Structures are given as structure tokens and as C-alpha cells.
Amino acid sequence: MKQKQPVAPGGFFTKLFASFFGAGYLPKAPGTWASLFTAIILYYVWPPEWYIQFLLICVVYLFGVLVSGRAEKYYGHDASYIVIDEVAGQMTALFMAPRKIIPFAIALVLFRLFDITKPPPARQWESNRAGWGVMADDIAAGVYAVLFLHFLLALFNRWGVSYF
């Protein structure tokens, strides 16, 4: 009879948070699901103050470094089950976004595009050790997305285009 492996202390909570409450276990594109769930949640609870948004992004980033580093012991390096990095990246992509469906949808699409393509230096940052590498490339993708989003919104505003 095969013996069960003992669960390391905190293993349940590590897996719970690293997978964003189970989103990482969804069968197709778990990172996209985690990003979508994050965008939906933030649509309702994202505070309007930039400094609170920034603080929350930093807290989730640092917490994500810790949790994803521990989760790699269970899943391997940057495994698809680990999606806390997508949460932090999507939060970054929504930094100071107007609480309207179109900007949130654009931020979601841009973040996923930049997260999948990993333009420099995102790909290089991914090779950092442990949780730092897991989180860094998604923060870079989030920064690209938020910059592009605000550029688009400025163009829309300049052209008098309403985004509802």
C-alpha cells in the first residue's frame, strides 16, 4: 500500500492562495480565468484613491512572491496552477482605470496579451529565483498594459470618444 506524503505546514493555504482560491485548477487557461476573476472583483471593490491601489498592488506582489515561491515546491517552477502572479499583474493593469466596463475589458485583454507574449524585459525577469521570477514578469506585463491603456484612454478622450 502506497503511503501518503505528509503535507508541509501551511501547504493547504499555500496552494489555496497561489491558485487564487482554486482558479489555477480550472482546466483551460487558468491564468486568464484568474485575470478575469480579478478584474470582476476589482470592478466592484477597487478603491478610487491611487495610493491605496498602489499599496494593495505592493502587498499582493510581496505576498505573491512568498506564496508562489512556496507553491513551486508542490507544483514546480511557475506551474500553471500558480496564478497569484496574474492577480498582481491584472491589478497593475487596472491601476487608476476608470470604473467602466470598456476600460476594464481593454485592461484585461492588454494584460493577457503582454503576459503571453512577454516583451523584454518581462521574459528575462521570469528567470529570477523562486517567487521573484514568478511574479516579476506579470508585474512587467501589467505595467505595459496600464501604460497602453492610459494612452488609449487619453486618445479616446482627445477624440471625444465615450467609453461608456
Side-chain angles (χ1 to χ4, degrees), residues 62-129:
L62 292 174
F63 181 71
V65 167
L66 175 72
V67 168
S68 62
R70 288 182 179 177
E72 285 185 319
K73 294 173 185 164
Y74 301 103
Y75 302 127
H77 178 66
D78 206 1
S80 63
Y81 301 116
I82 303 171
V83 293
I84 189 72
D85 51 334
E86 272 79 12
V87 173
Q90 188 62 58
M91 290 173 73
T92 304
L94 289 167
F95 182 70
M96 293 303 297
R99 189 171 301 183
K100 297 185 178 192
I101 298 230
I102 300 297
F104 269 59
I106 292 171
L108 175 67
V109 169
L110 288 172
F111 171 67
R112 292 307 301 151
L113 175 71
F114 288 123
D115 187 31
I116 291 166
T117 60
K118 296 189 187 326
R123 177 139 342 257
Q124 291 78 11
W125 288 355
E126 189 177 35
S127 64
N128 288 339
R129 289 184 331 111

